[in-house]
Amino acid sequence: MALARSVAVKLINRSISAASIFSLEWAGARRVQAQRVRAFSALMSPPSKAVVYEREGPPDSVIKMIELPPVEVKENDVCVKMLAAPINPSDINRIEGVYPVRPKVPAVGGYEGVGEVYSVGSAVTRLAPGDWVIPSPPSSGTWQSYVVKDQSVWHKVSKDSPMEYAATIIVNPLTALRMLEDFTTLNSGDSIVQNGATSIVGQCIIQIARHRGIHSINIIRDRAGSDEAKEKLKGLGADEVFTESQLEVKNVKGLLANLPEPALGFNCVGGNSASKVLKFLSMELVPFNNFQTALSKALGLHGSQPKQVIKF
């Protein structure tokens, strides 16, 4: 009997131990499975609403809004939730198929914008969820709610920046900067002249020039609200703002008062307005439209004015 009780106790203990082992193994398996599910989820973006076009043509007939499936976030990728993206004329030109640099179709619209990091791949160390980022150089496909691209595409920006500024900082401001730097050496006290001064590139030129102590002479079209436009440009730092009709004089340089003759001129309009830029110059005119094409091919930049900002 004692031997039977001893055997029974051992069998019971073994059963308990086996049950405990099974329980621990089952719990461990559940944890591993949960970790695998979490890891799988972390490596996929959410579904994304996107403005797409499958062929080039008039935007109102070729673009549509669709939902794209989740995209894998690889080890060097960053998934960004887009916050805002501008609609530049160059974006429209890409959809129409007339811009020199454009993505292959089918494509998602947009070329710049600002977003918030949603998730990062395992090898990404310099960005974290919650950071604000912009694509630099500009990268196609920003007209969607989530964008997944290699970490090298994304550059962190301060959250103190107004969202509309951050969304539009790449294309037009950098175009203005290159225009002021690439053709001649401008020093503090020099002057430049430009038409199309109310464009975003024109406004950026005024502000950068002012920051560097460079005077700007600006030409705008005669239209309703031109007085308000003059005040706005002067508030940005413009030294002189003239309508085209004000320059219908024999000696336009007599309007400059104490400003030196411009050392550099920019033309984005052509025709009679371009001739008025020429009248101010003491040096060769830089053809702005030709510059845009060359710059866009080299850097993907374009000096076009955003018509609207998309917020996601």
Side-chain angles (χ1 to χ4, degrees), residues 21-70:
I21 291 170
F22 174 78
S23 176
L24 290 173
E25 288 178 346
W26 181 79
R30 287 284 301 271
R31 284 195 297 271
V32 170
Q33 184 180 20
Q35 288 170 355
R36 285 175 178 170
V37 170
R38 286 196 296 270
F40 179 76
S41 300
L43 293 175
M44 300 298 292
S45 74
S48 182
K49 291 183 178 180
V51 178
V52 303
Y53 54 103
E54 296 179 350
R55 58 185 176 86
E56 296 171 340
D60 57 354
S61 63
V62 301
I63 65 172
K64 57 184 177 180
M65 178 81 78
I66 67 171
E67 183 169 296
L68 298 176

Side-chain angles (χ1 to χ4, degrees), residues 259-271:
L259 295 180
E261 290 184 353
L264 185 62
F266 301 115
N267 164 49
C268 67
V269 179

Side-chain angles (χ1 to χ4, degrees), residues 225-252:
S226 59
D227 289 338
E228 290 81 359
K230 285 183 179 181
E231 291 304 312
K232 177 181 178 180
L233 296 182
K234 287 186 175 180
L236 294 176
D239 291 274
E240 296 288 353
V241 184
F242 301 106
T243 61
E244 292 178 354
S245 62
Q246 287 180 292
L247 301 179
E248 298 292 343
V249 296
K250 188 173 183 179
N251 180 22
V252 296

Side-chain angles (χ1 to χ4, degrees), residues 29-186:
R30 287 284 301 271
R31 284 195 297 271
V32 170
Q33 184 180 20
Q35 288 170 355
R36 285 175 178 170
V37 170
R38 286 196 296 270
F40 179 76
S41 300
L43 293 175
M44 300 298 292
S45 74
S48 182
K49 291 183 178 180
V51 178
V52 303
Y53 54 103
E54 296 179 350
R55 58 185 176 86
E56 296 171 340
D60 57 354
S61 63
V62 301
I63 65 172
K64 57 184 177 180
M65 178 81 78
I66 67 171
E67 183 169 296
L68 298 176
V71 176
E72 181 182 1
V73 182
K74 299 177 182 177
E75 63 177 3
N76 286 308
D77 286 344
V78 176
C79 176
V80 173
K81 179 181 180 181
M82 295 303 298
L83 301 175
I87 302 174
N88 287 307
S90 56
D91 295 320
I92 303 302
N93 293 156
R94 287 186 179 91
I95 296 171
E96 294 170 332
V98 299
Y99 196 75
V101 180
R102 57 187 187 272
K104 294 181 179 180
V105 292
V108 178
Y111 209 56
E112 66 172 338
V114 63
E116 182 176 83
V117 174
Y118 179 82
S119 62
V120 299
S122 59
V124 177
T125 58
R126 62 182 184 83
L127 294 172
D131 288 344
W132 276 22
V133 292
I134 58 174
S136 178
S139 179
S140 61
T142 57
W143 292 357
Q144 57 183 312
S145 49
Y146 292 91
V147 180
V148 176
K149 291 183 181 287
D150 188 89
Q151 62 177 326
S152 62
V153 170
W154 302 106
H155 293 258
K156 185 177 177 179
V157 296
S158 173
K159 286 188 173 181
D160 293 334
S161 304
M163 187 181 296
E164 290 80 2
Y165 287 10
T168 57
I169 198 172
I170 294 296
V171 172
N172 294 302
L174 291 187
T175 298
L177 180 65
R178 296 300 301 268
M179 289 168 65
L180 287 168
E181 292 187 347
D182 284 7
F183 299 102
T184 189
T185 300
L186 294 170

